[in-house]
Amino acid sequence: MTNKVLAILTIRTENLPDNFQEILIHEREVVAQWKHDGILEQLYLRPTRNGAVLIFNGVTEEHARHLMTTLPLYSLALSVEILPLIASES
């Protein structure tokens, strides 16, 4: 069974930096690479537009925590929650 880890990123949305659009472009590039590498199963944007939920595949909790710190949007993080997941038997 493959490890799955859920990460919830919340960013501050007030006083965004002038280069916010550039940060978003770089963020998309990083996420696309993770998907290509098979370590990111899914990314969900939050309807409040203040963060995202990521589901990592085949990584440890510690590795997921490290990966989150490498995201371009991490510099705007209010919080990052990392939750290891266990698949249900049913």
Side-chain angles (χ1 to χ4, degrees):
M1 187 175 303
T2 304
N3 292 343
K4 294 200 187 290
V5 179
L6 178 79
I8 304 168
L9 171 67
T10 303
I11 63 168
R12 63 174 173 78
T13 55
E14 67 284 341
N15 300 319
L16 293 173
D18 291 337
N19 67 336
F20 183 70
Q21 291 303 318
E22 292 172 32
I23 293 170
L24 282 179
I25 291 168
H26 190 208
E27 183 88 2
R28 288 183 191 112
E29 292 169 351
V30 171
V31 167
Q33 184 63 52
W34 288 352
K35 283 186 176 183
H36 179 265
D37 294 345
I39 59 173
L40 183 65
E41 182 175 306
Q42 192 64 39
L43 168 75
Y44 297 95
L45 299 178
R46 296 179 36 197
T48 52
R49 303 173 87 57
N50 70 338
V53 176
L54 300 89
I55 300 176
F56 290 100
N57 191 38
V59 301
T60 64
E61 180 179 351
E62 294 78 22
H63 189 205
R65 191 173 305 282
H66 168 72
L67 287 168
M68 292 300 291
T69 67
T70 68
L71 282 174
L73 284 175
Y74 186 79
S75 64
L76 302 174
L78 287 174
S79 66
V80 177
E81 190 171 359
I82 306 290
L83 304 164
L85 303 175
I86 299 171
S88 172
E89 294 292 323
S90 54

